[in-house]
Amino acid sequence: MNERYRLPPIDRKAAAVPSLFSEEQFDAHYSKHHRTYIDKTNKSVEEGEFSHSSMLEYLASTTSGATFNQVAQAWNHTFFWFSLGLMRFPKTASDAPPAPIKAKAAELREEWIEAAASHFGSGWVWLVTNDEGKLRVVTTPNGETPLPSGERPLLVMDVWEHAYYLDYQSEKKAYAEKCWEHLNWEWAEALNRDPQLLAHVETTMCQDAACRTSPSQPRREHEQGNR
Ligand SMILES: [Fe+2]
């Protein structure tokens, strides 16, 4: 079967993997949970339930439903791997100076950790920005994303139990603290400088033309390291 999406190729040797997770925890998350979301998204494509050519476009206008849950979780997890520095991304064509996201976000560290620790049930903690460049920490339940709000995600952390429970049990705060140490600020800064880069999250999963014809295709072929 010609499937539209694949599990995105990650760099297992990136520091975040062995620093944050046991092999058992990471494999359960990446190879089982994320793969299942990808498989179910492909099933939705095959059955005509997901016919959008762009996940981003779809997620910006949808917040619920069985198809949404699978597509959103497929996309959110890939965005999470970018956020932990496990993925490569293209150099931006922008000449704008790097935005000091890391320095600005430092004051949001406690909020990030508290948001994770106090989030009830499954969900995600995001660092988002708006058109004025204001950074905020927001949480979303289940598979929801901040995209419909108009704020742009720069980083995300998975706070579903399946993300940490084997290694951290109920110590969600400890997990959040360690994740913060491994956030990929180069990715956040590149994304902040060039919002079109957001389309690259889907590109890394895409295997056919239907999702490779976005106007937001990376503009340079040369790829840079992620750290
Ligand atoms: Fe997850």
Side-chain angles (χ1 to χ4, degrees):
M1 185 168 61
N2 185 21
E3 295 178 324
R4 185 191 289 183
Y5 297 105
R6 64 172 178 168
L7 198 57
I10 55 159
D11 177 7
R12 280 179 176 270
K13 291 181 180 167
V17 179
S19 298
L20 286 171
F21 307 113
S22 64
E23 218 166 286
E24 185 186 15
Q25 172 70 77
F26 189 77
D27 276 339
H29 199 186
Y30 172 71
S31 306
K32 294 180 182 168
H33 287 280
H34 195 183
R35 182 181 296 283
T36 299
Y37 295 127
I38 298 278
D39 289 348
K40 289 188 175 176
T41 296
N42 281 327
K43 192 161 180 277
S44 295
V45 172
E46 192 189 334
E47 293 176 352
E49 291 160 2
F50 179 65
S51 55
H52 287 65
S53 61
S54 159
M55 282 182 163
L56 261 187
E57 203 178 282
Y58 173 76
L59 296 176
S61 59
T62 315
T63 56
S64 64
T67 300
F68 166 81
N69 290 339
Q70 305 308 326
V71 175
Q73 286 293 85
W75 192 88
N76 290 351
H77 280 86
T78 300
F79 194 88
F80 183 42
W81 309 140
F82 274 101
S83 299
L84 291 180
L86 314 189
M87 307 285 297
R88 296 167 71 84
F89 56 90
K91 276 186 175 176
T92 175
S94 170
D95 292 327
I101 294 295
K102 185 177 182 180
K104 279 172 72 178
E107 62 196 39
L108 298 174
R109 179 182 177 276
E110 294 306 314
E111 204 176 320
W112 174 276
I113 291 163
E114 189 49 39
S118 61
H119 184 78
F120 182 76
S122 301
W124 300 83
V125 176
W126 306 81
L127 179 70
V128 298
T129 187
N130 64 11
D131 291 342
E132 283 74 49
K134 181 173 171 50
L135 298 176
R136 288 207 310 138
V137 171
V138 298
T139 62
T140 55
N142 305 316
E144 289 183 35
T145 81
L147 294 165
S149 74
E151 288 180 299
R152 292 188 290 110
L154 300 177
L155 291 167
V156 77
M157 175 172 63
D158 190 340
V159 292
W160 284 59
E161 274 193 358
H162 70 225
Y164 62 87
Y165 201 77
L166 290 176
D167 289 344
Y168 299 86
Q169 275 92 60
S170 60
E171 299 297 324
K172 191 158 56 159
K173 188 174 179 186
Y175 161 70
E177 287 170 343
K178 283 194 80 174
C179 270
W180 177 271
E181 291 171 21
H182 287 280
L183 291 176
N184 186 358
W185 297 101
E186 284 184 23
W187 164 249
E189 289 176 358
L191 203 48
N192 190 47
R193 207 160 51 238
D194 182 9
Q196 299 277 299
L197 190 57
L198 204 54
H200 194 61
V201 175
E202 180 171 358
T203 302
T204 60
M205 293 181 275
C206 180
Q207 301 197 105
D208 73 26
C211 45
R212 283 192 169 274
T213 52
S214 153
S216 308
Q217 278 286 301
R219 288 168 292 187
R220 290 184 184 176
E221 289 189 358
H222 176 73
E223 293 206 335
Q224 65 181 16
N226 49 28
R227 280 196 179 270

